[in-house]
Amino acid sequence: MIWPVDLIIMLLVMVSGIGAIMVRDLLGAAVLFGVYSFLMCLLYAIMGAVDVAFTEASVGAGVSSVFFVAAVFRTSRRTKD
Amino acid sequence: MRFIALITILLMGGLLFYGLPDFPDWGDPASPASTHVSPYYIEHGAADTHAPNIVTAVLADYRGYDTMFETAVIFSAGLACFFLLRTFRQKSAETKLYRHIPTGVTLRIEKGGKTPAGSEEFEPIDSHWVPYDMIINMTCRLIVPFVQLFALYVIAHGHYSPGGGFQGGVIFGAAIILFAISHDLRSVFRRLQEKTAILLSAAGVLIYAGTGVLCLILGGNFLDYSRLAGLLGVDAVMARSHGILIVEIGVGLAVMAVMVMLYYNLSSAGRHDEGL
Protein backbone atom coordinates (compact mmCIF):
# COMPACT_ATOMS: atom_id res chain seq x y z
CA MET A 1 0.00 0.00 0.00
CA ILE A 2 1.25 3.44 -0.98
CA TRP A 3 -0.20 5.80 1.59
CA PRO A 4 -0.56 9.00 -0.55
CA VAL A 5 -2.54 7.05 -3.18
CA ASP A 6 -4.58 5.45 -0.44
CA LEU A 7 -5.29 8.83 1.17
CA ILE A 8 -6.34 10.44 -2.11
CA ILE A 9 -8.68 7.56 -2.95
CA MET A 10 -10.16 7.61 0.57
CA LEU A 11 -10.84 11.34 0.27
CA LEU A 12 -12.42 10.90 -3.16
CA VAL A 13 -14.57 8.06 -1.80
CA MET A 14 -15.88 10.37 0.92
CA VAL A 15 -16.46 13.23 -1.50
CA SER A 16 -18.31 11.10 -4.03
CA GLY A 17 -20.31 9.30 -1.33
CA ILE A 18 -21.49 12.51 0.32
CA GLY A 19 -22.02 14.06 -3.11
CA ALA A 20 -24.25 11.16 -4.17
CA ILE A 21 -26.49 11.84 -1.16
CA MET A 22 -26.53 15.62 -1.38
CA VAL A 23 -26.92 16.22 -5.10
CA ARG A 24 -30.46 17.11 -6.22
CA ASP A 25 -30.25 15.66 -9.72
CA LEU A 26 -30.88 11.90 -9.45
CA LEU A 27 -29.01 11.16 -12.69
CA GLY A 28 -26.02 12.97 -11.18
CA ALA A 29 -26.44 10.90 -8.02
CA ALA A 30 -26.38 7.71 -10.11
CA VAL A 31 -23.16 8.79 -11.82
CA LEU A 32 -21.58 9.78 -8.50
CA PHE A 33 -22.56 6.40 -7.07
CA GLY A 34 -20.81 4.76 -10.02
CA VAL A 35 -17.70 6.84 -9.26
CA TYR A 36 -17.93 5.77 -5.60
CA SER A 37 -18.15 2.09 -6.62
CA PHE A 38 -15.17 2.38 -8.92
CA LEU A 39 -13.06 4.07 -6.23
CA MET A 40 -14.03 1.32 -3.77
CA CYS A 41 -12.95 -1.18 -6.42
CA LEU A 42 -9.56 0.56 -6.57
CA LEU A 43 -9.30 0.35 -2.76
CA TYR A 44 -10.04 -3.40 -2.81
CA ALA A 45 -7.45 -3.89 -5.54
CA ILE A 46 -4.86 -1.96 -3.49
CA MET A 47 -5.58 -4.21 -0.50
CA GLY A 48 -4.99 -7.29 -2.65
CA ALA A 49 -8.58 -8.53 -2.81
CA VAL A 50 -8.63 -8.78 -6.59
CA ASP A 51 -11.73 -10.99 -6.77
CA VAL A 52 -13.76 -8.55 -4.69
CA ALA A 53 -12.45 -5.65 -6.78
CA PHE A 54 -13.51 -7.45 -9.94
CA THR A 55 -17.01 -8.00 -8.57
CA GLU A 56 -17.28 -4.39 -7.44
CA ALA A 57 -16.14 -3.13 -10.85
CA SER A 58 -18.59 -5.28 -12.79
CA VAL A 59 -21.59 -5.07 -10.45
CA GLY A 60 -21.19 -1.74 -8.65
CA ALA A 61 -19.67 0.45 -11.31
CA GLY A 62 -21.08 -1.37 -14.33
CA VAL A 63 -24.50 -2.92 -14.13
CA SER A 64 -25.99 -1.10 -11.13
CA SER A 65 -25.23 2.29 -12.73
CA VAL A 66 -27.25 1.16 -15.74
CA PHE A 67 -30.08 0.06 -13.43
CA PHE A 68 -30.08 3.44 -11.69
CA VAL A 69 -30.14 5.28 -15.02
CA ALA A 70 -32.99 3.04 -16.21
CA ALA A 71 -34.93 3.69 -12.98
CA VAL A 72 -34.36 7.46 -13.29
CA PHE A 73 -35.48 7.29 -16.92
CA ARG A 74 -38.78 5.71 -15.85
CA THR A 75 -39.42 7.92 -12.80
CA SER A 76 -38.41 11.53 -12.20
CA ARG A 77 -35.04 13.17 -12.36
CA ARG A 78 -35.57 15.57 -9.43
CA THR A 79 -35.77 14.55 -5.79
CA LYS A 80 -38.57 15.83 -3.63
CA ASP A 81 -36.48 16.37 -0.50
CA MET B 1 -38.59 12.94 9.23
CA ARG B 2 -35.25 14.01 7.81
CA PHE B 3 -34.11 14.93 11.30
CA ILE B 4 -35.00 11.49 12.72
CA ALA B 5 -33.22 9.80 9.81
CA LEU B 6 -30.13 11.93 10.37
CA ILE B 7 -30.07 11.09 14.10
CA THR B 8 -30.46 7.36 13.35
CA ILE B 9 -27.67 7.37 10.79
CA LEU B 10 -25.35 9.33 13.08
CA LEU B 11 -26.11 6.90 15.91
CA MET B 12 -25.43 3.85 13.75
CA GLY B 13 -22.25 5.43 12.37
CA GLY B 14 -21.10 6.23 15.90
CA LEU B 15 -21.74 2.63 16.95
CA LEU B 16 -19.72 1.39 13.96
CA PHE B 17 -16.79 3.61 14.87
CA TYR B 18 -17.14 2.55 18.52
CA GLY B 19 -16.88 -1.11 17.50
CA LEU B 20 -14.09 -0.54 15.01
CA PRO B 21 -11.08 -0.71 17.40
CA ASP B 22 -12.07 -4.26 18.39
CA PHE B 23 -11.44 -5.50 14.87
CA PRO B 24 -7.99 -6.95 14.12
CA ASP B 25 -5.71 -4.74 12.03
CA TRP B 26 -5.58 -5.19 8.26
CA GLY B 27 -3.34 -8.20 7.55
CA ASP B 28 -2.71 -8.82 11.25
CA PRO B 29 -0.95 -12.22 11.51
CA ALA B 30 -2.30 -12.73 15.06
CA SER B 31 -5.96 -12.31 14.14
CA PRO B 32 -8.17 -15.42 14.43
CA ALA B 33 -8.76 -15.56 10.68
CA SER B 34 -5.03 -15.61 9.99
CA THR B 35 -4.17 -18.18 12.68
CA HIS B 36 -6.93 -20.79 12.24
CA VAL B 37 -8.71 -20.35 8.92
CA SER B 38 -6.43 -18.98 6.20
CA PRO B 39 -3.41 -21.27 6.75
CA TYR B 40 -5.48 -24.37 6.06
CA TYR B 41 -6.74 -23.04 2.74
CA ILE B 42 -3.33 -21.72 1.71
CA GLU B 43 -1.60 -25.01 2.55
CA HIS B 44 -4.24 -27.45 1.29
CA GLY B 45 -6.28 -25.47 -1.26
CA ALA B 46 -4.34 -26.32 -4.42
CA ALA B 47 -3.73 -29.93 -3.34
CA ASP B 48 -7.39 -30.51 -2.45
CA THR B 49 -9.10 -28.93 -5.44
CA HIS B 50 -6.53 -28.28 -8.20
CA ALA B 51 -7.60 -24.62 -8.14
CA PRO B 52 -4.60 -22.27 -7.83
CA ASN B 53 -6.94 -19.34 -7.13
CA ILE B 54 -7.71 -19.98 -3.46
CA VAL B 55 -10.65 -17.55 -3.49
CA THR B 56 -12.47 -19.67 -6.07
CA ALA B 57 -11.70 -22.86 -4.15
CA VAL B 58 -13.09 -21.38 -0.92
CA LEU B 59 -16.11 -19.79 -2.59
CA ALA B 60 -17.30 -22.72 -4.69
CA ASP B 61 -15.94 -25.72 -2.82
CA TYR B 62 -15.19 -25.23 0.87
CA ARG B 63 -17.97 -22.69 1.32
CA GLY B 64 -20.13 -23.92 -1.54
CA TYR B 65 -23.24 -24.05 0.62
CA ASP B 66 -23.04 -20.27 1.26
CA THR B 67 -22.52 -19.54 -2.42
CA MET B 68 -25.55 -21.65 -3.32
CA PHE B 69 -27.76 -19.43 -1.20
CA GLU B 70 -26.08 -16.32 -2.61
CA THR B 71 -27.23 -17.53 -6.01
CA ALA B 72 -30.68 -18.15 -4.56
CA VAL B 73 -30.68 -14.56 -3.23
CA ILE B 74 -29.86 -13.22 -6.70
CA PHE B 75 -32.63 -15.38 -8.15
CA SER B 76 -35.16 -14.12 -5.63
CA ALA B 77 -34.06 -10.53 -6.33
CA GLY B 78 -34.94 -11.12 -9.96
CA LEU B 79 -38.27 -12.66 -8.97
CA ALA B 80 -39.03 -9.77 -6.60
CA CYS B 81 -38.38 -7.24 -9.37
CA PHE B 82 -40.60 -9.26 -11.71
CA PHE B 83 -43.49 -9.40 -9.24
CA LEU B 84 -43.20 -5.74 -8.27
CA LEU B 85 -42.88 -4.19 -11.71
CA ARG B 86 -44.22 -6.51 -14.38
CA THR B 87 -47.62 -5.52 -15.74
CA PHE B 88 -49.39 -7.35 -18.53
CA ARG B 89 -51.85 -4.53 -19.25
CA GLN B 90 -50.63 -2.88 -22.42
CA LYS B 91 -51.07 0.86 -22.59
CA SER B 92 -51.52 1.68 -26.26
CA ALA B 93 -49.63 4.83 -27.16
CA GLU B 94 -51.39 7.90 -28.56
CA THR B 95 -49.09 8.19 -31.54
CA LYS B 96 -46.86 5.52 -33.01
CA LEU B 97 -43.54 6.06 -34.71
CA TYR B 98 -42.25 3.94 -37.57
CA ARG B 99 -38.96 4.17 -39.40
CA HIS B 100 -38.70 3.45 -43.10
CA ILE B 101 -35.57 1.29 -43.14
CA PRO B 102 -34.17 2.02 -46.65
CA THR B 103 -34.40 5.80 -46.32
CA GLY B 104 -34.35 6.38 -42.54
CA VAL B 105 -37.45 8.56 -42.72
CA THR B 106 -39.62 8.49 -39.58
CA LEU B 107 -43.39 8.21 -39.88
CA ARG B 108 -45.61 9.59 -37.15
CA ILE B 109 -49.02 7.95 -37.06
CA GLU B 110 -51.77 9.54 -35.00
CA LYS B 111 -54.27 7.50 -33.02
CA GLY B 112 -56.65 5.63 -35.31
CA GLY B 113 -54.32 5.87 -38.31
CA LYS B 114 -53.34 2.88 -40.38
CA THR B 115 -49.99 1.43 -39.28
CA PRO B 116 -47.61 -0.32 -41.66
CA ALA B 117 -47.39 -3.30 -39.27
CA GLY B 118 -46.20 -6.46 -40.95
CA SER B 119 -44.36 -4.57 -43.66
CA GLU B 120 -40.73 -5.55 -44.15
CA GLU B 121 -39.65 -2.01 -44.91
CA PHE B 122 -40.85 -0.37 -41.71
CA GLU B 123 -39.76 -0.96 -38.14
CA PRO B 124 -41.54 0.41 -35.06
CA ILE B 125 -39.44 2.78 -32.90
CA ASP B 126 -39.90 4.07 -29.38
CA SER B 127 -42.20 7.00 -28.70
CA HIS B 128 -39.41 8.75 -26.80
CA TRP B 129 -37.40 10.21 -29.60
CA VAL B 130 -34.40 7.97 -30.24
CA PRO B 131 -32.09 9.29 -32.92
CA TYR B 132 -30.98 6.58 -35.29
CA ASP B 133 -27.21 6.44 -35.08
CA MET B 134 -25.40 3.98 -37.27
CA ILE B 135 -22.03 4.46 -35.56
CA ILE B 136 -23.37 3.55 -32.11
CA ASN B 137 -25.36 0.62 -33.49
CA MET B 138 -22.47 -0.85 -35.42
CA THR B 139 -19.86 -0.25 -32.70
CA CYS B 140 -21.97 -2.00 -30.07
CA ARG B 141 -22.77 -4.82 -32.49
CA LEU B 142 -19.01 -5.25 -32.94
CA ILE B 143 -18.13 -5.05 -29.24
CA VAL B 144 -20.86 -7.34 -27.86
CA PRO B 145 -19.40 -10.68 -29.10
CA PHE B 146 -16.01 -9.87 -27.61
CA VAL B 147 -17.53 -8.86 -24.28
CA GLN B 148 -19.46 -12.14 -24.25
CA LEU B 149 -16.31 -14.09 -25.08
CA PHE B 150 -14.51 -12.33 -22.22
CA ALA B 151 -17.38 -13.23 -19.89
CA LEU B 152 -17.06 -16.90 -20.84
CA TYR B 153 -13.31 -16.66 -20.27
CA VAL B 154 -13.90 -15.16 -16.82
CA ILE B 155 -16.25 -18.04 -15.92
CA ALA B 156 -14.04 -20.79 -17.32
CA HIS B 157 -10.77 -19.34 -16.05
CA GLY B 158 -12.01 -18.72 -12.50
CA HIS B 159 -9.76 -21.49 -11.20
CA TYR B 160 -6.60 -19.71 -12.26
CA SER B 161 -7.27 -15.97 -12.21
CA PRO B 162 -9.65 -13.59 -10.47
CA GLY B 163 -13.17 -14.14 -11.63
CA GLY B 164 -15.77 -16.83 -11.57
CA GLY B 165 -19.42 -17.40 -12.21
CA PHE B 166 -20.69 -14.25 -10.56
CA GLN B 167 -18.44 -11.77 -12.36
CA GLY B 168 -18.65 -13.61 -15.66
CA GLY B 169 -22.43 -13.74 -15.43
CA VAL B 170 -22.63 -10.02 -14.72
CA ILE B 171 -20.36 -9.24 -17.68
CA PHE B 172 -22.43 -11.49 -19.96
CA GLY B 173 -25.60 -9.78 -18.78
CA ALA B 174 -23.97 -6.38 -19.29
CA ALA B 175 -23.16 -7.32 -22.90
CA ILE B 176 -26.85 -8.07 -23.54
CA ILE B 177 -27.84 -4.84 -21.76
CA LEU B 178 -25.35 -2.93 -23.93
CA PHE B 179 -27.05 -4.39 -26.99
CA ALA B 180 -30.45 -3.39 -25.59
CA ILE B 181 -29.28 0.17 -24.93
CA SER B 182 -27.67 0.63 -28.32
CA HIS B 183 -30.64 -0.83 -30.20
CA ASP B 184 -34.03 -1.13 -28.52
CA LEU B 185 -35.90 -3.58 -26.34
CA ARG B 186 -37.70 -5.21 -29.26
CA SER B 187 -34.54 -6.30 -31.02
CA VAL B 188 -33.14 -7.77 -27.80
CA PHE B 189 -36.41 -9.63 -27.15
CA ARG B 190 -35.97 -11.33 -30.52
CA ARG B 191 -32.68 -12.76 -29.22
CA LEU B 192 -33.45 -13.40 -25.56
CA GLN B 193 -37.10 -13.56 -24.57
CA GLU B 194 -38.29 -12.82 -21.08
CA LYS B 195 -39.52 -16.40 -20.68
CA THR B 196 -36.09 -17.74 -21.64
CA ALA B 197 -34.41 -15.41 -19.16
CA ILE B 198 -36.65 -16.58 -16.31
CA LEU B 199 -36.09 -20.24 -17.23
CA LEU B 200 -32.32 -19.70 -17.45
CA SER B 201 -32.18 -18.04 -14.03
CA ALA B 202 -34.07 -20.95 -12.49
CA ALA B 203 -31.91 -23.43 -14.40
CA GLY B 204 -28.75 -21.85 -12.96
CA VAL B 205 -29.91 -22.34 -9.38
CA LEU B 206 -31.09 -25.85 -10.32
CA ILE B 207 -27.65 -26.75 -11.74
CA TYR B 208 -26.00 -25.64 -8.51
CA ALA B 209 -28.41 -27.38 -6.16
CA GLY B 210 -28.66 -30.39 -8.49
CA THR B 211 -24.90 -30.90 -8.32
CA GLY B 212 -25.21 -30.92 -4.54
CA VAL B 213 -28.05 -33.44 -4.61
CA LEU B 214 -26.12 -35.60 -7.09
CA CYS B 215 -23.22 -35.73 -4.65
CA LEU B 216 -25.72 -36.67 -1.94
CA ILE B 217 -27.13 -39.50 -4.09
CA LEU B 218 -23.63 -40.79 -4.84
CA GLY B 219 -23.03 -41.26 -1.12
CA GLY B 220 -21.17 -38.10 -0.14
CA ASN B 221 -22.12 -34.95 1.69
CA PHE B 222 -24.12 -32.20 0.02
CA LEU B 223 -21.83 -30.47 -2.55
CA ASP B 224 -18.94 -32.88 -1.89
CA TYR B 225 -17.71 -32.85 -5.50
CA SER B 226 -15.12 -35.59 -4.98
CA ARG B 227 -18.00 -38.08 -5.23
CA LEU B 228 -18.47 -37.08 -8.87
CA ALA B 229 -15.14 -38.76 -9.72
CA GLY B 230 -16.84 -41.91 -11.00
CA LEU B 231 -19.26 -40.00 -13.25
CA LEU B 232 -16.62 -37.68 -14.69
CA GLY B 233 -13.96 -40.37 -15.04
CA VAL B 234 -11.23 -38.50 -13.16
CA ASP B 235 -9.65 -38.81 -9.73
CA ALA B 236 -11.21 -37.26 -6.62
CA VAL B 237 -9.10 -34.08 -6.64
CA MET B 238 -9.77 -33.33 -10.30
CA ALA B 239 -13.46 -34.07 -9.71
CA ARG B 240 -13.54 -31.24 -7.17
CA SER B 241 -11.99 -28.94 -9.76
CA HIS B 242 -14.62 -29.95 -12.33
CA GLY B 243 -17.34 -29.64 -9.71
CA ILE B 244 -16.30 -26.04 -9.10
CA LEU B 245 -16.57 -25.34 -12.84
CA ILE B 246 -20.05 -26.90 -13.01
CA VAL B 247 -21.44 -24.81 -10.17
CA GLU B 248 -19.73 -21.69 -11.55
CA ILE B 249 -21.57 -22.24 -14.82
CA GLY B 250 -24.80 -22.49 -12.82
CA VAL B 251 -24.03 -19.25 -10.97
CA GLY B 252 -23.11 -17.55 -14.25
CA LEU B 253 -26.36 -18.58 -15.92
CA ALA B 254 -28.50 -17.45 -13.00
CA VAL B 255 -26.73 -14.10 -12.60
CA MET B 256 -26.74 -13.35 -16.32
CA ALA B 257 -30.45 -14.07 -16.67
CA VAL B 258 -31.37 -12.11 -13.54
CA MET B 259 -29.38 -9.04 -14.67
CA VAL B 260 -31.15 -9.09 -18.02
CA MET B 261 -34.54 -9.56 -16.32
CA LEU B 262 -33.89 -6.63 -13.99
CA TYR B 263 -32.98 -4.46 -16.95
CA TYR B 264 -36.07 -5.47 -18.95
CA ASN B 265 -38.38 -4.64 -16.06
CA LEU B 266 -36.64 -1.44 -14.91
CA SER B 267 -36.13 0.18 -18.29
CA SER B 268 -39.68 -0.40 -19.52
CA ALA B 269 -41.42 -0.01 -16.13
CA GLY B 270 -42.60 -3.61 -16.41
CA ARG B 271 -44.50 -3.18 -19.68
CA HIS B 272 -41.79 -4.62 -21.93
CA ASP B 273 -42.86 -2.52 -24.89
CA GLU B 274 -40.26 0.19 -25.19
CA GLY B 275 -37.24 0.90 -23.05
CA LEU B 276 -34.16 2.99 -22.58
Side-chain angles (χ1 to χ4, degrees):
Chain A
M1 272 210 293
I2 312 160
W3 74 265
V5 177
D6 220 35
L7 194 71
I8 291 167
I9 294 178
M10 289 274 197
L11 278 176
L12 285 175
V13 163
M14 283 174 68
V15 168
S16 56
I18 294 171
I21 300 172
M22 302 298 270
V23 77
R24 288 224 171 254
D25 185 359
L26 284 179
L27 197 63
V31 172
L32 276 171
F33 194 71
V35 172
Y36 168 84
S37 281
F38 193 74
L39 290 168
M40 284 309 287
C41 153
L42 284 183
L43 271 186
Y44 295 139
I46 287 170
M47 285 191 276
V50 193
D51 278 86
V52 185
F54 199 173
T55 313
E56 183 73 33
S58 55
V59 180
V63 171
S64 69
S65 299
V66 177
F67 288 161
F68 281 130
V69 172
V72 169
F73 172 71
R74 277 295 163 195
T75 51
S76 78
R77 200 169 157 179
R78 298 271 148 201
T79 56
K80 293 248 163 55
D81 54 2
Chain B
M1 206 59 212
R2 260 178 92 86
F3 184 71
I4 299 170
L6 189 71
I7 293 288
T8 320
I9 287 169
L10 280 180
L11 212 67
M12 296 314 278
L15 271 175
L16 269 179
F17 274 102
Y18 176 73
L20 205 58
D22 291 338
F23 279 111
D25 282 342
W26 181 72
D28 182 11
S31 70
S34 302
T35 49
H36 308 308
V37 189
S38 307
Y40 179 84
Y41 295 136
I42 293 168
E43 285 162 14
H44 299 89
D48 277 356
T49 61
H50 262 316
N53 185 10
I54 303 169
V55 179
T56 305
V58 171
L59 214 66
D61 187 295
Y62 294 110
R63 294 280 173 271
Y65 197 56
D66 295 355
T67 313
M68 189 183 88
F69 283 102
E70 265 174 50
T71 318
V73 164
I74 300 279
F75 175 63
S76 35
L79 275 190
C81 191
F82 176 85
F83 284 126
L84 279 176
L85 288 178
R86 187 79 173 99
T87 54
F88 291 96
R89 200 175 54 244
Q90 290 293 333
K91 192 181 72 181
S92 63
E94 291 289 302
T95 56
K96 293 193 171 102
L97 296 179
Y98 281 84
R99 182 187 293 123
H100 187 230
I101 297 169
T103 57
V105 174
T106 305
L107 282 186
R108 182 188 164 92
I109 294 159
E110 296 292 328
K111 195 174 187 181
K114 188 169 174 290
T115 57
S119 165
E120 289 281 311
E121 295 200 325
F122 288 93
E123 60 169 350
I125 57 175
D126 292 353
S127 53
H128 295 272
W129 173 244
V130 188
Y132 178 72
D133 195 330
M134 201 173 116
I135 295 176
I136 292 177
N137 272 5
M138 286 301 149
T139 312
C140 290
R141 220 172 245 261
L142 209 66
I143 288 174
V144 163
F146 292 103
V147 177
Q148 289 178 337
L149 195 65
F150 179 66
L152 293 180
Y153 160 79
V154 167
I155 295 177
H157 216 251
H159 293 66
Y160 298 96
S161 60
F166 199 82
Q167 294 94 325
V170 170
I171 295 171
F172 206 99
I176 295 171
I177 291 172
L178 176 68
F179 185 81
I181 290 177
S182 64
H183 291 67
D184 51 10
L185 268 186
R186 277 178 299 274
S187 45
V188 84
F189 278 142
R190 278 201 295 275
R191 286 157 177 88
L192 182 66
Q193 286 175 352
E194 186 202 16
K195 202 181 274 179
T196 323
I198 294 173
L199 281 177
L200 279 180
S201 65
V205 183
L206 190 70
I207 287 175
Y208 204 134
T211 313
V213 172
L214 196 62
C215 300
L216 209 60
I217 291 170
L218 291 171
N221 289 323
F222 192 68
L223 290 172
D224 178 10
Y225 309 131
S226 56
R227 293 284 164 171
L228 297 175
L231 276 184
L232 296 168
V234 286
D235 61 346
V237 176
M238 206 59 206
R240 286 177 78 165
S241 175
H242 289 334
I244 292 175
L245 182 64
I246 293 169
V247 300
E248 294 276 31
I249 289 170
V251 174
L253 266 184
V255 170
M256 182 273 286
V258 166
M259 292 299 148
V260 172
M261 256 166 69
L262 287 180
Y263 177 77
Y264 284 174
N265 282 321
L266 277 176
S267 69
S268 67
R271 285 198 303 276
H272 287 214
D273 45 0
E274 42 194 48
L276 202 62

